[in-house]
Amino acid sequence: MRETFKKLYQAGDFWGGLAAMLVALPAAIAFGVTIYSAIAPGHAALGALAGIIGAAAIGLIASTFGGTDRLISAPCAPAAALLSAFAIELLHQGVPGGNIILLLLLLGVLAGLFQILFGFVGIGRLIKYIPYPVVSGYMTGVGLIIVGSQVLKLLGTPADTRLHEAVASPELWDWRAVAVGATTMLVMWLAPRLTSRLPATILGIAAGLLCYFGLALQDESLLRMADNDLIIGPLGASGQGYFQAITARWYEIGDLRLAQVAALLGNALTLAVLLSIDTLKTCVVLDQMTRSQHNPNRELIAQGVANIASSSIGGIPGAGTMGATLVNLSSGATTRASGLIEGLSALVFALMLSSFIAWIPVAALAGILIVVGIRMIDRGPLRFIQSSATVFDFGVVVTVVVVALSIGLIAASAAGVALAIILFLREQIGGSVVRHKFYVNQMSSNWHRPEAETRILGQKGDQAVIFELQGSLFFGTTQQLYAELEPELRSRSFVILDLKRVQSVDVTAAHLLCQVRDVLAERQALLILSNVRENLPNNRNLREFLEQTGVMDIPEAVRLFGELDSAIEWVEDRLLGASEQAAAEPETPLEIADMELFKHRKDETLADLETRLVKRHYAAGEVVYSCGEAGDAIYLIRSGTVKIFAPLGGGRTRHVATFGRGDFFGGLAFLDGLPRGNDAIAASDAEFFVLSQEQFDQLTDEHKKLALTLLKALSRSLALRLRHADTENAMLQEY
């Protein structure tokens, strides 16, 4: 709080808050009049004061506790639409006007509590992901409700007149109200084209007042405040006025029936969602314009506290508003102190100009709200009709709008949530959950095997199929996945499902995995799952989930691996006839004569070569060499395995190769003399023969044929590795 006030000296915050107030305050008064005049025309002044209190309280409190710089919070159109519809519904049920006011206050308090709950449980980050068609339908529905609720005030017809009767009966119109409202609307539409210095709402009200007093020159009755339904009238802020009335209402809370209070919950939840969407949408736009980052959950908590405070003292609830926020930003505001200026100035101006506010024509406020409502109508989805791919999205918008107008915003909320689920399912089902499909003779492991073994894998590799899965595995995609798996289940000995890019797995998908396991088990084939993580993006432990859902009930039919390469390597060993028992037996270190590179060489030649080799031992996990190190030696593996890791940047590496007994590594630096381009780490206890470039040069002088044989072997092996890498890379590019 102290830091906020220290920044008040900034001129941008002062003028920004002041300019934002000129936008927010007239709209807040109009919203309040809309809500309270729905109870009775004589409540318009009470509504105006409720709007003023809302603008001041929300502006001060939301800016104090919220963390979003430049955001202006004030009463808004969604609150006006829902609260006025709620008041009309209660009126039709025969609820007394005093009780309706109390229920409106309770509704605002409950909505604030819901917003605080949203913030504490982290829903703030989720609300902004509501699909655009649903939000568009909400906003358009709210805009149409606002417009519809103001037509009677614009035409000046009796309060009990139905909308269609008023529109069709010009004889019921009060042409004075029509003239004032039309003048206000015209100036509001034209104002942005004429000047950007003064808010359109201020110019609109000024035009409406000039028109009203111009008419008063011809009709002196318009200069009387008493019994004048064309103006707001006295605000009643003193004596037996507003605060005494609100305090009295809270004392009557015990007279409410439990059913009435319970009925508020659905409306309060809807209001909280609408206000939260309005706030977070404004924050997202503000972030984009200022390259900042708001905290959605903190902002929701602040908005909830502000709405509770505002409703408790008789104000109407609100949210972060787009229009006032953009005016604040364009006026030079830089911190949230501008929100405090807006709240304070709204209170000061209201107290200083209470007599002036009483003369504001109701039709002028109606004209303002009609313009606001029309601007809320989203015409963007009309282009959705032009393509069959987006017709359903247009249908979502229309459905939400129709439900909002015919039933109410609560039903529209439910319809919106249901349609959001349908939109999600459509997108998930529309895409394939299978990203790639390979056979092991197309996508081998990182283990560099001898040529003889590579030929065998080329012949037998189609016995194992690899499916790289993606997205969400749930009830909507299981049938599609099974359709792609089924042709392979009857003929393959190994089916590998890689789950690295899977976002979530539900019980239906787990049941499908059980079915796949059982079909394979009938043929003594295996289901292999790789990249089975303990933490999915939805925080589910996938390994535990598979155990709980029965996928692991037949251990001999399912195997789990931490990464795809390990799974492929294990399958390759099975295809080559290797057993797990043989793999676990200790290796005998090879001598020079036993290595493929030096077979059929003379003993005396090999003896001379061996004198130039250095024997080295590395424990499992020990670094043989690191990327960037100088090195010109080649390593011949006597026993054990070595893994090669390529750098990815940012301190990250990727496993790219594994070499075993009888193979070699480090050949590139040996040939070109450049620094090491990767890391070599002993995967198990390993022994090497190390041949340096210096020793090789001496060997070349004495045994040219042996040196040439060694170079040919190195070149052939490196060429085979490059050819294999090119083939896999081309296949990946194809996908």
Side-chain angles (χ1 to χ4, degrees):
M1 186 75 173
R2 181 179 301 173
E3 293 179 0
T4 301
F5 279 111
K6 284 181 180 179
K7 296 179 180 179
L8 286 179
Y9 68 88
Q10 298 183 19
D13 287 335
F14 178 81
W15 293 114
L18 190 62
M21 180 276 298
L22 295 177
V23 174
L25 184 59
I29 293 172
F31 294 142
V33 170
T34 296
I35 297 167
Y36 280 76
S37 61
I39 304 172
H43 285 35
L46 193 64
L49 198 52
I52 293 169
I53 291 175
I58 296 172
L60 286 168
I61 297 174
S63 298
T64 299
F65 293 102
T68 307
D69 289 334
R70 308 176 183 89
L71 180 67
I72 299 297
S73 301
C76 57
L82 190 142
L83 292 176
S84 58
F86 178 68
I88 292 171
E89 181 182 353
L90 293 178
L91 197 65
H92 290 164
Q93 295 174 3
V95 178
N99 283 2
I100 293 177
I101 294 174
L102 178 57
L103 289 172
L104 288 174
L105 300 179
L106 278 174
L107 183 56
V109 171
L110 290 174
L113 289 173
F114 273 122
Q115 286 187 286
I116 293 174
L117 179 63
F118 292 166
F120 274 120
V121 301
I123 294 179
R125 298 187 182 277
L126 302 180
I127 289 178
K128 62 182 178 182
Y129 295 116
I130 293 178
Y132 165 69
V134 176
V135 176
S136 175
Y138 272 140
M139 295 300 106
T140 299
V142 169
L144 290 173
I145 290 173
I146 288 290
V147 172
S149 68
Q150 300 306 305
V151 171
L152 296 181
K153 299 181 180 66
L154 180 70
L155 300 178
T157 57
D160 58 350
T161 309
R162 294 183 180 274
L163 179 61
H164 65 278
E165 294 175 351
V167 174
S169 306
E171 65 275 8
L172 298 177
W173 298 2
D174 187 330
W175 291 99
R176 299 169 300 179
V178 173
V180 171
T183 301
T184 302
M185 293 173 62
L186 180 62
V187 171
M188 276 200 70
W189 280 116
L190 296 177
R193 304 178 186 178
L194 301 176
T195 179
S196 58
R197 293 182 178 275
L198 289 176
T201 51
I202 295 297
L203 293 176
I205 287 179
L209 279 167
L210 287 175
C211 180
Y212 177 84
F213 284 107
L215 293 172
L217 295 176
Q218 307 297 324
D219 184 356
E220 293 185 358
S221 65
L222 297 181
L223 297 176
R224 293 195 303 267
M225 190 173 292
D227 299 324
N228 187 349
D229 292 336
L230 292 180
I231 62 174
I232 292 177
L235 300 185
S238 61
Q240 296 297 317
Y242 184 76
F243 290 105
Q244 289 83 352
I246 294 302
T247 303
R249 297 304 176 203
W250 282 115
Y251 282 127
E252 294 172 5
I253 193 169
D255 297 334
L256 295 177
R257 297 192 303 273
L258 183 61
Q260 288 179 311
V261 178
L264 291 176
L265 294 177
N267 287 279
L269 180 59
T270 302
L271 179 59
V273 171
L274 290 176
L275 297 180
S276 299
I277 292 174
D278 213 18
T279 297
L280 297 183
K281 181 180 68 175
T282 302
C283 289
V284 169
V285 172
L286 195 57
D287 285 347
Q288 293 171 350
M289 297 182 69
T290 61
R291 297 180 181 178
S292 56
Q293 183 67 42
H294 74 283
N295 184 328
N297 293 318
R298 175 179 173 180
E299 197 58 54
L300 286 187
I301 293 173
Q303 295 286 330
V305 172
N307 284 328
I308 291 173
S310 175
S311 299
S312 298
I313 60 176
I316 58 176
T321 57
M322 186 73 71
T325 297
L326 295 182
V327 168
N328 184 42
L329 176 63
S330 62
S331 299
T334 57
T335 72
R336 55 195 173 107
S338 56
L340 296 173
I341 294 295
E342 182 274 332
L344 286 170
S345 59
L347 185 59
V348 171
F349 268 63
L351 291 174
M352 292 175 58
L353 302 176
S354 59
S355 299
F356 169 78
I357 292 172
W359 283 103
I360 295 177
V362 173
L365 297 178
I368 289 174
L369 289 185
I370 288 176
V371 173
V372 170
I374 292 174
R375 287 175 176 169
M376 289 184 68
I377 297 173
D378 189 0
R379 290 172 288 277
L382 290 175
R383 67 171 67 98
F384 293 170
I385 308 175
Q386 301 173 4
S387 171
S388 58
T390 54
V391 167
F392 181 78
D393 297 271
F394 180 75
V396 171
V397 176
V398 172
T399 301
V400 175
V401 172
V402 170
V403 173
L405 296 178
S406 59
I407 302 177
L409 288 173
I410 297 177
S413 301
V417 171
L419 292 172
I421 294 172
I422 294 174
L423 283 175
F424 171 77
L425 293 178
R426 184 189 67 165
E427 294 303 318
Q428 292 295 320
I429 295 172
S432 175
V433 293
V434 176
R435 183 172 182 266
H436 289 154
K437 173 184 172 182
F438 301 115
Y439 297 99
V440 165
N441 54 7
Q442 296 174 313
M443 177 61 68
S444 63
S445 70
N446 290 326
W447 188 287
H448 286 265
R449 298 181 183 276
E451 288 186 53
E453 292 185 357
T454 301
R455 286 194 295 270
I456 294 174
L457 291 176
Q459 297 169 357
K460 295 184 176 181
D462 60 356
Q463 295 180 24
V465 62
I466 305 164
F467 289 91
E468 290 186 2
L469 306 184
Q470 63 183 358
S472 298
L473 304 184
F474 70 112
F475 61 89
T477 56
T478 51
Q479 291 304 316
Q480 174 206 107
L481 175 59
Y482 191 78
E484 298 206 40
L485 293 177
E486 188 175 21
E488 308 292 345
L489 299 181
R490 302 295 177 183
S491 57
R492 309 300 168 192
S493 300
F494 305 93
V495 174
I496 302 175
L497 303 182
D498 182 55
L499 307 179
K500 181 177 182 178
R501 293 175 175 83
V502 169
Q503 302 297 309
S504 62
V505 182
D506 74 352
V507 174
T508 305
H511 179 68
L512 170 67
L513 295 179
C514 292
Q515 289 180 297
V516 171
R517 175 203 64 196
D518 294 342
V519 170
L520 292 172
E522 291 176 0
R523 302 176 37 254
Q524 283 75 50
L526 278 175
L527 171 64
I528 298 172
L529 304 176
S530 64
N531 279 296
V532 180
R533 292 165 289 168
E534 294 187 357
N535 287 298
L536 289 176
N538 61 0
N539 293 323
R540 171 170 284 174
N541 187 317
L542 183 55
R543 184 179 292 270
E544 288 184 0
F545 178 74
L546 295 178
E547 293 175 353
Q548 293 167 356
T549 52
V551 177
M552 306 304 300
D553 284 354
I554 309 177
E556 63 274 13
V558 183
R559 291 191 71 95
L560 304 183
F561 288 89
E563 56 184 20
L564 177 59
D565 186 69
S566 300
I568 298 175
E569 180 184 312
W570 185 87
V571 169
E572 288 174 344
D573 288 341
R574 306 289 83 71
L575 294 175
L576 292 170
S579 65
E580 294 185 24
Q581 181 178 357
E585 293 177 358
E587 293 178 331
T588 302
L590 294 175
E591 299 299 335
I592 283 292
D594 299 325
M595 292 186 173
E596 189 70 29
L597 285 173
F598 307 110
K599 282 186 176 180
H600 312 299
R601 297 292 101 199
K602 295 180 180 179
D603 291 342
E604 58 272 19
T605 302
L606 294 181
D608 194 14
L609 170 63
E610 190 166 4
T611 61
R612 303 183 185 281
L613 298 176
V614 177
K615 292 181 181 180
R616 291 185 183 171
H617 177 272
Y618 289 85
E622 191 173 351
V623 176
V624 180
Y625 59 73
S626 299
C627 180
E629 283 185 4
D632 60 357
I634 188 171
Y635 293 78
L636 309 173
I637 304 175
R638 302 184 66 208
S639 65
T641 56
V642 174
K643 289 189 175 182
I644 307 298
F645 296 87
L648 296 177
R652 298 177 300 125
T653 59
R654 178 180 177 82
H655 174 218
V656 294
T658 302
F659 299 103
R661 185 168 175 260
D663 213 333
F664 70 90
F665 64 97
L668 290 179
F670 179 77
L671 293 174
D672 61 22
L674 296 177
R676 302 290 185 183
N678 45 45
D679 300 330
I681 299 176
S684 62
D685 287 349
E687 291 188 24
F688 309 127
F689 283 127
V690 182
L691 177 63
S692 67
Q693 184 67 53
E694 180 183 356
Q695 292 297 323
F696 177 75
D697 291 341
Q698 295 179 13
L699 182 68
T700 302
D701 293 336
E702 300 175 9
H703 301 282
K704 290 183 173 59
K705 190 172 182 180
L706 175 62
L708 181 62
T709 300
L710 179 59
L711 281 178
K712 283 183 177 180
L714 291 177
S715 300
R716 175 178 173 78
S717 180
L718 291 173
L720 288 173
R721 295 174 187 177
L722 182 59
R723 187 186 298 272
H724 183 71
D726 286 344
T727 301
E728 289 192 351
N729 185 54
M731 188 165 51
L732 287 172
Q733 294 282 344
E734 182 68 19
Y735 283 90

